[in-house]
Amino acid sequence: MYHSVGDCSDDPYRITVTPERLERQLGWLRRRGLRGVSVAELLAARARGEGRRLVGLTFDDGYADFLDHALPLLDRWGCGATLFVLPGRLGGDNAWDPLGPRKPLLTADGIRRAARGGVEIGSHGLTHVDLTKADAETLRAETADSRALLEELVQAPVDGFCYPYGTVDRRAVDAVRDAGYGYACAIDPGALNGPHALPRVHVGQNDNAPRLFLKYRLHRLRRRPVEGL
């Protein structure tokens, strides 16, 4: 689970890695015979009983720096990824973060450029709200409406969803499933673990080779296998 790729000198939420750090992390994967892929590709491989050497790479929020810094590195290392974006904040910024610098988000054209580059586009909701606190109308807009807008934008199916803040409950899972998504990513969903509440590992600027190795191994030990995958 990545977010922004750029200058991390002012990064109170630890959402940023530098391009240099990301390149070292991608190289670490490749040197160990692992390959980063989109979540859709990973799940399809797992459904076929394959995918043991694949690692799903996700980038949340749809920061504009993805095109400048992340996409070229993914191409260089032969990796894919899923980019979770906010169609209700196209060309805006991370206004939901009260601390830290304002970071620009991708425009509609930027999202289309990422899709043309082979990146899977998924929804991060419409405007980045905590779905566990949303009323029924907001919940529908953040799930169903965001999917419809993205499918119109990229002219392709949008199968993946990512819960803002990683917060998830049964009501949010049901809304995402009802909106037609095939899968959804959380962080540590606990008992809700399943195709619509997939666990992920945060990767940050401080994650060097030993830390990546520990996170890779601990993730496999701490998270229950997702049933059916």
Side-chain angles (χ1 to χ4, degrees):
M1 178 180 65
Y2 290 95
H3 289 76
S4 174
V5 182
D7 178 14
C8 63
S9 57
D10 184 8
D11 189 33
Y13 298 103
R14 299 185 299 113
I15 62 169
T16 309
V17 298
T18 63
E20 294 77 15
R21 176 63 78 185
L22 176 60
E23 179 154 38
R24 289 196 291 271
Q25 291 167 345
L26 295 177
W28 183 91
L29 290 175
R30 297 300 274 166
R31 286 190 296 273
R32 283 151 183 81
L34 304 169
R35 181 168 66 90
V37 297
S38 69
V39 179
E41 182 175 346
L42 175 63
L43 295 180
R46 293 292 297 273
R48 298 191 303 268
E50 304 170 0
R52 288 182 60 83
R53 309 303 294 174
L54 302 181
V55 177
L57 300 180
T58 61
F59 292 79
D60 292 6
D61 301 334
Y63 291 103
D65 55 33
F66 179 86
L67 289 179
D68 296 328
H69 302 309
L71 187 57
L73 293 176
L74 292 168
D75 288 342
R76 183 180 305 170
W77 288 98
C79 292
T82 299
L83 177 65
F84 291 113
V85 300
L86 298 154
R89 293 188 183 272
L90 298 176
D93 61 30
N94 56 328
W96 60 88
D97 286 334
L99 303 176
R102 299 274 70 85
K103 288 177 172 283
L105 304 177
L106 288 166
T107 62
D109 183 62
I111 293 172
R112 284 190 287 262
R113 285 174 57 194
R116 289 195 298 268
V119 174
E120 181 194 12
I121 303 300
S123 173
H124 199 27
L126 195 63
T127 58
H128 203 289
V129 301
D130 183 344
L131 298 189
T132 65
K133 300 176 181 177
D135 59 31
E137 182 178 353
T138 301
L139 189 58
R140 179 196 52 77
E142 294 288 329
T143 54
D145 289 1
S146 67
R147 183 172 186 242
L149 287 170
L150 283 178
E151 289 187 334
E152 181 179 359
L153 193 157
V154 300
Q155 292 295 292
V158 171
D159 202 40
F161 187 87
C162 175
Y163 299 98
Y165 306 104
T167 55
V168 58
D169 58 13
R170 174 53 62 186
R171 181 167 163 267
V173 168
D174 290 344
V176 167
R177 183 186 294 108
D178 292 345
Y181 295 96
Y183 74 84
C185 291
I187 300 176
D188 194 358
L192 291 172
N193 186 325
H196 288 88
L198 296 169
R200 294 183 296 168
V201 174
H202 168 76
V203 181
Q205 179 65 13
N206 294 327
D207 287 322
N208 53 21
R211 285 172 60 97
L212 280 178
F213 178 75
L214 287 173
K215 285 189 173 185
Y216 176 69
R217 295 302 297 270
L218 288 173
H219 178 75
R220 296 169 64 89
L221 292 173
R222 292 180 58 236
R223 268 73 172 191
R224 292 183 294 108
V226 178
E227 185 176 353
L229 296 174

